[in-house]
Amino acid sequence: MDFGFNNGEMNNGIPRFGWVRGTIVDIMPTRQGGRRANGCVLFVTLETENGETVNVILSPVTYVVDFETLSVGMNCTFWYLADAPMILIYPPQYNAVVAARDKNSRMLDVSYYGKEMVNQERTLQLKLDGSVDIRTTNNQYFQGSPAEHDLVVIYETSTRSIPAQTTPKEIVVLCS
C-alpha cells in the first residue's frame, strides 16, 4: 500500500498532515476516475464546528481507527497529506489518509516521528515501555522500530511539558 509519503520531510515548513473535524451529514458511494461508483470509494460530507461544509474522500487505503464503521451523525476527524495536489473547488475536498470517530476518552496524533520519537510539530514525544501495541494499517504486528515513520498515535494522557510526553495505548505505522 503506497500512500505517497516522503519519509517525513517537510515541504517549506508545512506540516505533513492537515486535518478537518466535523459532523458527518452525508455518505455516498462515488466513482473513482472514469469508472462508475462501485461502493469502494465513499464521498463524505462534513459540517465543521464553524458551520462550513467540507467533503472528504474515503478510499480503500484510508486507515479508519479501530476499523469503525462511520455513519451520518458521527463527529469525526480526517487527516490528509498537506502537500498533496488538491482540486480548487468549493466546498474543499480532501483525500483522507486517516479517519477517526471523535471520542472523549482518547486523543490521536497523526504525524511523522523522528529518531527521538518526537512528532514533526515537536508537540508530542512518545515513551515506549514494551507494553505499547504497535501495528500496521492491516492490523498486523509491526516488526520494527516505529521511529522515522508516519504514525497514528492513540493515547489517553500526556504531561504538560513541551513537548508533551505520553506512553501511547496504541501506535499504527503508516507504512509507505
Side-chain angles (χ1 to χ4, degrees), residues 43 46 48 50-55 87-94:
F43 192 81
L46 295 177
T48 68
N50 299 334
E52 297 170 352
T53 299
V54 175
N55 294 318
I87 56 175
L88 298 174
I89 61 170
Y90 183 82
Q93 180 175 303
Y94 302 102

Side-chain angles (χ1 to χ4, degrees), residues 26-41:
D26 192 27
I27 299 177
M28 58 196 280
T30 189
R31 61 189 179 132
Q32 191 172 19
R35 302 181 190 159
R36 290 183 298 170
N38 64 7
C40 290
V41 179

Side-chain angles (χ1 to χ4, degrees), residues 23-158:
T23 302
I24 297 175
V25 294
D26 192 27
I27 299 177
M28 58 196 280
T30 189
R31 61 189 179 132
Q32 191 172 19
R35 302 181 190 159
R36 290 183 298 170
N38 64 7
C40 290
V41 179
L42 298 175
F43 192 81
V44 178
T45 302
L46 295 177
E47 183 176 315
T48 68
E49 295 164 347
N50 299 334
E52 297 170 352
T53 299
V54 175
N55 294 318
V56 179
I57 304 293
L58 289 182
S59 74
V61 297
T62 302
Y63 172 68
V64 180
V65 175
D66 295 335
F67 301 98
E68 187 165 9
T69 302
L70 304 181
S71 62
V72 171
M74 285 184 173
N75 293 320
C76 296
T77 303
F78 299 86
W79 288 264
Y80 57 89
L81 289 172
D83 62 353
M86 284 188 224
I87 56 175
L88 298 174
I89 61 170
Y90 183 82
Q93 180 175 303
Y94 302 102
N95 291 310
V97 174
V98 176
R101 180 179 185 182
D102 295 339
K103 294 182 179 177
N104 290 335
S105 62
R106 73 170 181 207
M107 293 178 271
L108 280 90
D109 184 51
V110 178
S111 185
Y112 174 81
Y113 281 77
K115 290 179 185 176
E116 293 90 29
M117 295 306 296
V118 176
N119 68 359
Q120 181 182 20
E121 297 79 15
R122 307 210 52 82
T123 57
L124 188 64
Q125 182 172 21
L126 306 183
K127 298 296 182 187
L128 304 181
D129 64 2
S131 69
V132 179
D133 190 18
I134 304 174
R135 300 198 176 236
T136 61
T137 55
N138 64 3
N139 208 30
Q140 302 306 302
Y141 288 108
F142 183 70
Q143 301 294 322
S145 169
E148 299 184 304
H149 283 89
D150 292 309
L151 305 176
V152 177
V153 177
I154 302 166
Y155 63 105
E156 294 176 349
T157 61
S158 66

